[in-house]
Amino acid sequence: MNNNEKETEKNGIVLLRLTHLLLMFYTLSYAVAGLCHGIFDVRIVGYLPFDHSNTLYTPKGKAAWTTMVMSFLLFSIGTALYFPRLNNLWDYIVTISFLHIFISATVMLSFPVSGLWWGTLIALVVLQLLFSRAVQFLVNKKFPLQTHVE
């Protein structure tokens, strides 16, 4: 196998991982959004995981903010459990966050300008990186990699 084939295979693996993680993120987002619809008694809309136009003063705004926070925190645990030994997991988390910004702007047909939304997003990315690393550490400590065969 030459270098070009190895690079193509590596790019395919990265793209496959990103696809898995993107599906995981939005599955979690819609599951949390479904719960938030009931908790905050808001009308069911399909774009709640992408909504960046509300404030915390309305039930819909609270539902959108809670959906965002819980989705990102659950995603950080899920990624660490899905890839417990992946050293560059932080890269995937940051990439998914940038993709979420792009997809949110596309779905809502406007760029997010809310300071609350940006502040929450930045804090959540940092928390995701810390949580995922902590979960990876605990999983690797509890289930160490076996390197020898007897």
Side-chain angles (χ1 to χ4, degrees), residues 1-112:
M1 188 181 284
N2 62 26
N3 286 341
N4 193 20
E5 289 174 349
K6 287 180 184 179
E7 190 67 29
T8 303
E9 183 178 332
K10 183 180 176 185
N11 290 341
I13 290 171
V14 168
L15 188 60
L16 184 64
R17 286 178 180 162
L18 274 174
T19 304
H20 285 179
L21 290 174
L22 202 60
L23 286 171
M24 179 195 303
F25 179 74
Y26 284 114
T27 300
L28 286 170
S29 291
Y30 274 102
V32 171
L35 292 172
C36 287
H37 283 297
I39 292 169
F40 294 102
D41 195 29
V42 294
R43 189 175 67 83
I44 294 179
V45 289
Y47 58 85
L48 189 62
F50 310 103
D51 196 354
H52 55 77
S53 60
N54 290 304
T55 65
L56 289 177
Y57 300 114
T58 64
K60 185 179 172 192
K62 289 176 186 175
W65 186 82
T66 303
T67 297
M68 181 178 166
V69 170
M70 293 306 297
S71 298
F72 272 82
L73 294 180
L74 290 172
F75 179 68
S76 66
I77 295 168
T79 55
L81 293 175
Y82 194 64
F83 296 114
R85 292 180 183 17
L86 190 63
N87 289 331
N88 62 340
L89 186 59
W90 66 270
D91 192 16
Y92 288 99
I93 289 173
V94 172
T95 302
I96 294 294
S97 300
F98 278 119
L99 286 172
H100 179 65
I101 294 167
F102 174 75
I103 293 170
S104 293
T106 304
V107 168
M108 298 302 292
L109 300 175
S110 66
F111 191 76

